[in-house]
Amino acid sequence: MTEGINQAAAAAAATPRVRLEGIRKQFGSIQALRGVDLDLMPGEVLGLVGDNAAGKSTLTKVISGAYVPDEGRILVDGQAAGYTTPAEARAIGIEMVYQDLSLCDTIDVAGNLFLGREPRRSVLGLKLLDRQRMREEARRNLDALDIHVPSLDAYVEQLSGGQRQSIAIARAAAFAPRVLIMDEPTSALAVAEVEAVLRLIRRLAEGGTSIILITHRLQDLFRVCDRIVVMYEGTKVAERRIGETDLEDLVGLIVGGKAEKLKGHA
Amino acid sequence: MSTTPIYERRPTGPRYHDFLARHAQVLSIAAFFLLMVVLFSLNTNAFLSQANLLNLLRQSAPLIIVAVAMTFVITTGGIDLSVGSTVALVNALVAIALQAGVPWPLAVLAMLVLGGLVGLLQGWFVAREGIPAFIVTLAGLSILRGVALLLTQGFSIPIASDNWFVQIGRGWFLGLPFPAILAVLVMAAGALALSSTRFGRYVTAIGANAEAARRAGIGVQGVTMAVYVLTGIAAALAGIVIAARLGSGSSNAAVGFELDVIAAVVLGGTSLMGGRGSILGTCLGALTIAVIGNGLILAHISPFFTQIVTGLIILAAIWLNTKVFRGGRRR
């Protein structure tokens, strides 16, 4: 059913939400990205897979503004996007959950959710942090994601790895982004928490958010993705609609040249 | 044999455990402070007299003012070693300006602007050019003191006591010494700014994880520069108060002042690693240092002990804190 909705949405808006054209990025002598083209449609969930150092993280950091590509163009809704910092990308609705989570340990849960966009109230002409509103909205956001923390006033350093990861996801998802990039969002999560994140991904996509998901948990991809892109040595080597592929096919595409050997063993 | 597993949420421990862990440093310096007050009250007759307490407040005002600003710098993970030299430069320059006939309000304003510019320049090197704050402000410490010495040739410059300017250091308002009122105002503004404004939140965020702050769209460079402007202005204000109280300006003022300031901040529980700062703690730290100096003199103990005792208390307080803190933190 969800696929039908997405196809309708895709037909209605044929312009990709994000289009990458010939993206190249080099670090010293290492060619991290060697000319990558990619389309991300509105409301689409795109799985990005590949071996380690295939260029997945670099590509997503280019989209999120953390890296500026050496060559190539980024189009957002058909317009050339000139952002060069994460803040500028965020301003046009591109959010990212970083692998290192990017949380501030000595700030409380609610404060981390609102970092950089704290609501304020006016007291005698002074603009002070509106703690009550931060706490109420944080509670609502976390409840919607089934995330349990001991206290919203707890410092993030007091939380477990899974709770920290949940909070990083909640922060990116809370502000109705147009593009949400998630780099290994479920690596530290327990079973119930993974389920909640997968549900969240589907829900956001149905609301029109375009999502890029990097994960080593291939079984998750088949549950939420519309399309899967395989990277290898800094290039895009394959693209599959989810109905046209299976686990074995995907593993073969990821390991590439090593596939024949693997089959020999099997 | 087997029993049905019981699923229930684990109970949370009492909330006051979190409170104690989070405020351990402020609580411990408060205890130290009270201990010192009780000790000196019992050992000397003069300590608790009104005249002595008011004098104590007057004398510790410059320390409190600069320590409040320094709390912001250290909370970003930086340090400002140049504050003592800035005090000396302003101290000397304001006396020179007044002697040259500059009206005092103009001289005061010019000095505050000068302090701000010194901070801006150092902040620029730290924030924009990425040079470690320790290096930049160590250079500042040397250069600014050198400029002050050059301007005065090492002589002390008198300020006429009929100039209203000296009231900034000697005057009274509502029964309190004027410098003490300045210190309380700075403290209140600092406490509000650090705990309840976006600026204070960003100062903490930068100290906790500067890259996360950048990714969250915070203007990390601007905020970092701003905290050095704050210490520059605060040091200028301290230089003005000291010049007004002593009725003279000297390039030898406030030697070693930066160390007292940093000691006060660290005693108060602000982490040198950044991300954790308390204005209340800083003020208690500054008052503790002031009380030790004052009390030892009243107790007829050699004032040279002051530095030894201050050092020992810093070491003891920080050592206790690291022990107390290990429990509540995961990383």
Side-chain angles (χ1 to χ4, degrees):
Chain A
M1 196 177 80
T2 54
E3 233 169 84
I5 293 170
N6 283 317
Q7 274 163 9
T15 323
R17 177 64 53 76
V18 177
R19 161 167 279 183
L20 303 180
E21 291 179 354
I23 299 291
R24 287 179 179 277
K25 181 75 189 174
Q26 197 154 344
F27 298 105
S29 66
I30 296 167
Q31 299 185 357
L33 297 173
R34 303 183 289 156
V36 177
D37 302 319
L38 187 71
D39 281 353
L40 179 65
M41 305 308 290
E44 183 182 36
V45 181
L46 181 73
L48 198 54
V49 297
D51 217 344
N52 289 326
K56 307 181 299 281
S57 286
T58 309
L59 189 68
T60 52
K61 281 181 181 168
V62 165
I63 301 172
S64 77
Y67 289 154
V68 180
D70 299 331
E71 274 178 52
R73 290 208 304 167
I74 305 173
L75 300 158
V76 177
D77 294 327
Q79 308 275 321
Y83 56 79
T84 55
T85 64
E88 287 166 21
R90 202 176 175 188
I92 59 170
I94 300 176
E95 292 275 351
M96 174 148 178
V97 181
Y98 292 89
Q99 212 171 354
D100 70 6
L101 306 184
S102 287
L103 298 172
C104 287
D105 276 347
T106 53
I107 292 177
D108 60 19
V109 172
N112 265 286
L113 287 176
F114 284 91
L115 195 63
R117 49 193 161 194
E118 294 81 359
R120 289 179 295 181
R121 64 200 165 95
S122 220
V123 180
L124 303 170
L126 294 171
K127 288 199 159 177
L128 302 183
L129 298 176
D130 192 342
R131 289 176 198 284
Q132 201 189 338
R133 207 177 120 202
M134 277 162 68
R135 201 168 298 143
E136 284 167 5
E137 289 188 23
R139 170 61 62 207
R140 216 171 316 134
N141 288 334
L142 293 179
D143 283 349
L145 296 180
D146 264 338
I147 295 169
H148 299 285
V149 289
S151 157
L152 289 173
D153 301 327
Y155 283 171
V156 164
E157 69 188 358
Q158 292 175 286
L159 305 181
S160 73
Q163 287 170 328
R164 293 161 57 81
Q165 200 160 33
S166 304
I167 284 159
I169 294 169
R171 175 167 71 185
F175 295 88
R178 300 169 69 220
V179 177
L180 176 60
I181 304 161
M182 304 171 111
D183 192 349
E184 294 285 356
T186 54
S187 60
L189 297 187
V191 182
E193 291 165 325
V194 172
E195 292 302 315
V197 170
L198 296 181
R199 277 202 304 276
L200 166 76
I201 289 173
R202 279 306 344 160
R203 199 159 70 234
L204 288 169
E206 278 157 29
T209 301
S210 304
I211 294 166
I212 297 179
L213 175 64
I214 297 181
T215 182
H216 286 296
R217 293 166 51 100
L218 297 180
Q219 68 274 28
D220 289 352
L221 294 174
F222 287 94
R223 296 186 45 199
V224 294
C225 290
D226 300 307
R227 199 154 55 98
I228 293 177
V229 162
V230 184
M231 306 257 321
Y232 187 81
E233 295 280 321
T235 55
K236 185 175 81 178
V237 289
E239 240 181 291
R240 293 279 191 277
R241 295 213 59 82
I242 202 72
E244 302 163 354
T245 183
D246 56 32
L247 204 55
E248 199 185 343
D249 177 39
L250 214 50
V251 171
L253 289 169
I254 291 170
V255 298
K258 288 174 263 178
E260 297 308 313
K261 269 192 209 164
L262 282 177
K263 273 182 190 153
H265 278 291
Chain B
M1 287 297 280
S2 70
T3 52
T4 320
I6 299 162
Y7 291 98
E8 58 180 0
R9 291 209 157 263
R10 97 194 83 182
T12 43
R15 280 291 170 83
Y16 74 87
H17 283 177
D18 281 347
F19 179 84
L20 286 182
R22 194 169 297 184
H23 301 285
Q25 290 167 298
V26 174
L27 292 171
S28 69
I29 187 62
F32 257 108
F33 174 68
L34 290 177
L35 183 70
M36 290 298 135
V37 168
V38 170
L39 273 180
F40 289 127
S41 305
L42 296 177
N43 285 320
T44 70
N45 296 322
F47 181 78
L48 270 189
S49 71
Q50 197 188 1
N52 185 54
L53 290 180
L54 291 176
N55 187 41
L56 192 70
L57 282 180
R58 185 197 298 277
Q59 285 185 350
S60 58
L63 179 61
I64 293 174
I65 289 168
V66 181
V68 166
M70 184 70 83
T71 306
F72 285 82
V73 171
I74 294 182
T75 303
T76 64
I79 192 95
D80 188 347
L81 299 171
S82 72
V83 289
S85 296
T86 306
V87 168
L89 178 63
V90 165
N91 197 271
L93 263 181
V94 78
I96 291 172
L98 292 172
Q99 208 174 48
V102 178
W104 72 264
L106 191 63
V108 166
L109 191 66
M111 290 307 119
L112 294 178
V113 171
L114 174 73
L117 286 176
V118 165
L120 187 66
L121 191 65
Q122 297 192 106
W124 183 81
F125 276 110
V126 174
R128 302 280 301 200
E129 302 302 298
I131 304 175
F134 188 91
I135 306 292
V136 172
T137 60
L138 187 63
L141 174 146
S142 184
I143 294 167
L144 295 167
R145 175 82 60 185
V147 173
L149 283 164
L150 196 66
L151 286 172
T152 60
Q153 294 295 313
F155 292 110
S156 170
I157 296 155
I159 297 169
S161 34
D162 57 352
N163 193 327
W164 198 91
F165 176 81
V166 297
Q167 297 302 319
I168 296 174
R170 300 174 186 172
W172 294 81
F173 187 72
L174 300 174
L176 285 171
F178 192 65
I181 292 187
L182 277 180
V184 169
L185 288 177
V186 168
M187 176 185 150
L192 190 69
L194 186 59
S195 72
S196 302
T197 67
R198 274 192 181 173
F199 175 73
R201 179 52 61 89
Y202 296 166
V203 164
T204 308
I206 289 169
N209 190 340
E211 178 60 16
R214 186 183 79 87
R215 287 172 182 171
I218 293 168
V220 173
Q221 293 185 348
V223 173
T224 306
M225 269 155 80
V227 296
Y228 291 92
V229 172
L230 283 184
T231 44
I233 293 174
L237 184 58
I240 290 164
V241 168
I242 293 171
R245 191 180 80 219
L246 300 179
S248 71
S250 163
S251 53
N252 292 317
V255 172
F257 181 65
E258 60 279 345
L259 298 181
D260 278 348
V261 170
I262 293 166
V265 174
V266 171
L267 268 179
T270 295
S271 164
L272 279 173
M273 311 303 287
R276 235 178 275 270
S278 164
I279 299 290
L280 178 63
T282 291
C283 292
L284 287 168
L287 286 172
T288 304
I289 290 174
V291 164
I292 294 168
N294 176 273
L296 288 179
I297 292 169
L298 293 180
H300 302 293
I301 297 169
S302 164
F304 299 128
F305 271 111
T306 309
Q307 298 193 13
I308 299 172
V309 173
T310 308
L312 288 175
I313 287 184
I314 290 173
L315 202 57
I318 303 302
W319 183 56
L320 282 175
N321 283 338
T322 55
K323 292 287 168 196
V324 172
F325 256 93
R326 282 292 145 89
R329 217 178 277 179
R330 292 210 190 221
R331 19 186 298 138

